């Protein structure tokens, strides 16, 4: 899925009102932003449009907005932080209707080089377009505010939401450009090339809790990669499929046959499928999650019936690190264990360290793996850390993403 889409470099925004869909879904604690990664990631696209002399209108969702519009999920803290980062005032439209009179007036008052941030798009229930038609009116109102549209929200690009894909229909209808921003371009270049055109050997590492979340990813990656490494909670369903006793470890009994199929598929295709050979076990899940816990390491087929596997063991960590050493492309999605706990983070640290030390192109597929490499201090050693967990997973499944499809072809 190579990027043959119009980008912000393919048009000049001078004097134009450009609506940019960003991913400002940042973590907040008591109204303060605790991780500004997504804000920083949006800056290159915003600055390019400002340097052109564009009038830049930003929009994004924040949180799940289950209770309807509320101040806790307002984008006000993002406007404040953006103003600091850009060194200029970002006019925030706090109106819960997102595209109402306040937004129309703020946009009408804009001069070249100005920035306006609209309120949380999910404050409009139509954003998520659950009955497909509901999003049309909201999308049309968004399009009325602008001349051109740029999608730079990779983390939302797998959702066919009003502000992500539906809006492009109305912008295009009036002759405007529908492009992708620098962040989207980078994501698609790295993830697209890794999957469709990897430099080999290509090693894929999958972790996390559930096999169900990664069904199609496992299937698709076995077509593409040379070695597939399985860790995390999902490994125990594979181990049970091999006939091992897995004690109280996480298991998806409905997926045992699927795991057998995948092991057979790997063998038939001559692919290496690596599973844990030893496991770090404890009497139960840590409570609190980062609290002290007594653990031992046993062979993967020797887990006692009353114990639970919570991380890969030391021999497995060595095996996995070794597989990465000779790789030229590595994609990693999902931690090897309960990485939030210092005692159970060793497997994840070992894999992160191996990736940091290789000269391969290393791509971290968002979500918990991104959190892990950031927390463990390996972020600057990776070639690319995806900003979208769900989106990068769907990309690795080989799915087309609505936010990418909606952009103009070059």
């Amino acid at each position: 899925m190579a990027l043959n889409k119009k980008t912000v470099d393919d048009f000049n925004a001078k004097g134009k009102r450009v609506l940019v869909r960003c991913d400002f879904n940042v973590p907040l604690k008591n109204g303060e932003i605790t991780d500004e990664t997504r804000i920083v990631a949006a800056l290159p696209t915003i600055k390019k449009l400002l340097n052109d002399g564009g009038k830049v209108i930003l929009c994004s969702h924040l949180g799940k907005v289950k209770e309807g519009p509320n101040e806790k999920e307002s984008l006000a803290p993002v406007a404040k932080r953006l103003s600091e980062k850009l060194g200029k005032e970002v006019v925030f439209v706090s109106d819960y209707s997102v595209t109402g009179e306040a937004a129309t007036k703020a946009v009408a008052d804009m001069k070249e080089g100005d920035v306006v941030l609209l309120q949380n798009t999910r404050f409009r229930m139509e954003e998520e377009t659950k009955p497909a038609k509901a999003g049309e009116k909201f999308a049309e109102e968004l399009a009325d505010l602008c001349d051109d549209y740029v999608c730079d929200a990779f983390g939302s690009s797998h959702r066919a939401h009003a502000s992500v894909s539906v809006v492009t229909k109305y912008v295009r209808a009036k002759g405007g450009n529908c492009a992708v921003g620098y962040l989207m371009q980078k994501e698609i270049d790295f993830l697209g090339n890794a999957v469709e055109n990897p430099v080999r050997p290509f090693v894929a590492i999958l972790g996390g809790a559930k096999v169900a979340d990664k069904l199609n990813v496992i299937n698709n990656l076995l077509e593409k990669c040379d070695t597939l490494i399985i860790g995390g909670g999902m490994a125990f369903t594979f181990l049970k499929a091999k006939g091992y006793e897995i004690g109280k470890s996480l298991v998806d009994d409905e997926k045992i046959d699927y795991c057998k199929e995948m092991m057979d598929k790997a063998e038939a295709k001559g692919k290496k499928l690596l599973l844990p050979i030893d496991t770090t076990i404890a009497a139960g899940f840590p409570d609190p999650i980062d609290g002290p816990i007594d653990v031992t390491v046993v062979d993967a087929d020797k887990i006692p019936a009353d114990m639970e596997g919570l991380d890969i063991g030391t021999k497995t960590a060595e095996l996995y690190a070794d597989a990465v050493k000779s790789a030229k492309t590595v994609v990693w999605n999902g931690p090897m264990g309960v990485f939030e706990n210092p005692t159970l983070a060793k497997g994840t640290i070992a894999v992160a360290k191996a990736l940091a030390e290789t000269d391969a192109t290393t791509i971290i597929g968002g979500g918990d793996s991104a959190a892990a490499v950031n927390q463990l201090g390996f972020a600057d050693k990776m070639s690319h850390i995806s900003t979208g967990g769900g989106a990068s997973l769907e990309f690795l499944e080989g799915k087309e993403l609505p936010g990418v499809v909606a952009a103009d072809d070059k």
Side-chain angles (χ1 to χ4, degrees), residues 365-386:
D368 282 344
S369 351
V373 293
N374 280 321
Q375 281 172 30
L376 302 170
F378 291 108
D380 60 337
K381 301 281 195 299
M382 304 302 162
S383 312
H384 179 63
I385 299 175
S386 179

Short mmCIF file of all heavy atoms in Angstrom, two decimals, residues 365-386:
data_model
loop_
_atom_site.label_atom_id
_atom_site.label_comp_id
_atom_site.label_asym_id
_atom_site.label_seq_id
_atom_site.Cartn_x
_atom_site.Cartn_y
_atom_site.Cartn_z
N GLY A 365 4.59 -0.76 16.25
CA GLY A 365 3.21 -0.57 15.81
C GLY A 365 2.26 0.03 16.82
O GLY A 365 1.22 -0.54 17.09
N GLY A 366 2.62 1.16 17.40
CA GLY A 366 1.67 1.90 18.23
C GLY A 366 1.24 1.20 19.49
O GLY A 366 1.79 0.18 19.90
N GLY A 367 0.22 1.77 20.16
CA GLY A 367 -0.39 1.16 21.34
C GLY A 367 0.59 0.88 22.46
O GLY A 367 1.46 1.69 22.76
N ASP A 368 0.45 -0.30 23.09
CA ASP A 368 1.27 -0.65 24.24
C ASP A 368 2.75 -0.79 23.90
O ASP A 368 3.60 -0.52 24.74
CB ASP A 368 0.79 -1.98 24.86
CG ASP A 368 -0.46 -1.78 25.71
OD1 ASP A 368 -0.76 -0.62 26.06
OD2 ASP A 368 -1.13 -2.78 26.02
N SER A 369 3.07 -1.23 22.67
CA SER A 369 4.50 -1.37 22.33
C SER A 369 5.15 0.00 22.26
O SER A 369 6.29 0.18 22.67
CB SER A 369 4.72 -2.10 21.00
OG SER A 369 3.57 -2.65 20.49
N ALA A 370 4.41 0.99 21.74
CA ALA A 370 4.94 2.36 21.69
C ALA A 370 5.12 2.88 23.11
O ALA A 370 6.15 3.48 23.45
CB ALA A 370 3.98 3.26 20.91
N ALA A 371 4.12 2.65 23.96
CA ALA A 371 4.21 3.07 25.37
C ALA A 371 5.43 2.42 26.03
O ALA A 371 6.18 3.07 26.77
CB ALA A 371 2.94 2.71 26.12
N ALA A 372 5.62 1.13 25.74
CA ALA A 372 6.74 0.40 26.35
C ALA A 372 8.09 0.98 25.94
O ALA A 372 8.93 1.27 26.80
CB ALA A 372 6.67 -1.08 25.99
N VAL A 373 8.33 1.19 24.64
CA VAL A 373 9.65 1.71 24.22
C VAL A 373 9.85 3.14 24.72
O VAL A 373 10.97 3.53 25.05
CB VAL A 373 9.92 1.62 22.69
CG1 VAL A 373 10.04 0.19 22.24
CG2 VAL A 373 8.92 2.36 21.88
N ASN A 374 8.76 3.91 24.80
CA ASN A 374 8.88 5.27 25.36
C ASN A 374 9.26 5.21 26.84
O ASN A 374 10.22 5.85 27.28
CB ASN A 374 7.57 6.06 25.19
CG ASN A 374 7.43 6.63 23.78
OD1 ASN A 374 8.39 7.09 23.19
ND2 ASN A 374 6.22 6.56 23.23
N GLN A 375 8.51 4.42 27.61
CA GLN A 375 8.76 4.32 29.06
C GLN A 375 10.12 3.73 29.37
O GLN A 375 10.77 4.11 30.33
CB GLN A 375 7.69 3.44 29.73
CG GLN A 375 6.37 4.15 29.96
CD GLN A 375 5.28 3.18 30.44
OE1 GLN A 375 5.57 2.19 31.10
NE2 GLN A 375 4.04 3.46 30.10
N LEU A 376 10.57 2.80 28.54
CA LEU A 376 11.83 2.10 28.82
C LEU A 376 13.04 2.85 28.27
O LEU A 376 14.17 2.42 28.43
CB LEU A 376 11.78 0.68 28.27
CG LEU A 376 10.61 -0.20 28.80
CD1 LEU A 376 10.50 -1.50 28.01
CD2 LEU A 376 10.79 -0.51 30.27
N GLY A 377 12.78 3.97 27.58
CA GLY A 377 13.89 4.82 27.13
C GLY A 377 14.56 4.40 25.83
O GLY A 377 15.69 4.78 25.56
N PHE A 378 13.87 3.61 25.00
CA PHE A 378 14.47 3.14 23.74
C PHE A 378 13.90 3.87 22.52
O PHE A 378 14.25 3.53 21.38
CB PHE A 378 14.24 1.63 23.56
CG PHE A 378 15.01 0.78 24.54
CD1 PHE A 378 14.36 0.13 25.58
CD2 PHE A 378 16.39 0.64 24.42
CE1 PHE A 378 15.07 -0.66 26.48
CE2 PHE A 378 17.10 -0.15 25.31
CZ PHE A 378 16.45 -0.80 26.35
N ALA A 379 13.02 4.85 22.74
CA ALA A 379 12.28 5.45 21.62
C ALA A 379 13.21 6.02 20.54
O ALA A 379 12.97 5.83 19.35
CB ALA A 379 11.34 6.53 22.14
N ASP A 380 14.27 6.71 20.96
CA ASP A 380 15.13 7.39 19.98
C ASP A 380 15.98 6.40 19.17
O ASP A 380 16.63 6.78 18.20
CB ASP A 380 16.03 8.43 20.67
CG ASP A 380 16.94 7.81 21.72
OD1 ASP A 380 16.59 6.72 22.22
OD2 ASP A 380 17.99 8.40 22.05
N LYS A 381 15.96 5.12 19.55
CA LYS A 381 16.76 4.12 18.83
C LYS A 381 15.92 3.40 17.74
O LYS A 381 16.43 2.55 17.03
CB LYS A 381 17.28 3.06 19.80
CG LYS A 381 18.16 3.62 20.92
CD LYS A 381 19.57 3.90 20.42
CE LYS A 381 20.55 4.09 21.53
NZ LYS A 381 20.28 5.21 22.42
N MET A 382 14.63 3.70 17.68
CA MET A 382 13.76 3.02 16.71
C MET A 382 13.63 3.86 15.43
O MET A 382 13.60 5.09 15.48
CB MET A 382 12.37 2.79 17.30
CG MET A 382 12.37 2.01 18.61
SD MET A 382 13.15 0.38 18.46
CE MET A 382 13.48 0.00 20.19
N SER A 383 13.51 3.19 14.28
CA SER A 383 13.36 3.92 13.02
C SER A 383 12.03 4.66 12.98
O SER A 383 11.94 5.78 12.50
CB SER A 383 13.41 2.97 11.82
OG SER A 383 14.49 2.09 11.91
N HIS A 384 10.99 4.00 13.48
CA HIS A 384 9.66 4.63 13.42
C HIS A 384 8.77 4.05 14.52
O HIS A 384 8.68 2.84 14.68
CB HIS A 384 9.01 4.38 12.06
CG HIS A 384 7.64 4.96 11.93
ND1 HIS A 384 7.39 6.31 12.00
CD2 HIS A 384 6.42 4.38 11.79
CE1 HIS A 384 6.09 6.54 11.88
NE2 HIS A 384 5.47 5.38 11.76
N ILE A 385 8.12 4.95 15.26
CA ILE A 385 7.13 4.52 16.25
C ILE A 385 5.78 5.03 15.78
O ILE A 385 5.56 6.23 15.66
CB ILE A 385 7.45 5.08 17.65
CG1 ILE A 385 8.81 4.56 18.11
CG2 ILE A 385 6.36 4.70 18.65
CD1 ILE A 385 9.30 5.13 19.43
N SER A 386 4.88 4.10 15.50
CA SER A 386 3.58 4.50 14.97
C SER A 386 2.75 5.22 16.03
O SER A 386 2.83 4.90 17.22
CB SER A 386 2.81 3.27 14.48
OG SER A 386 1.54 3.67 14.00
#
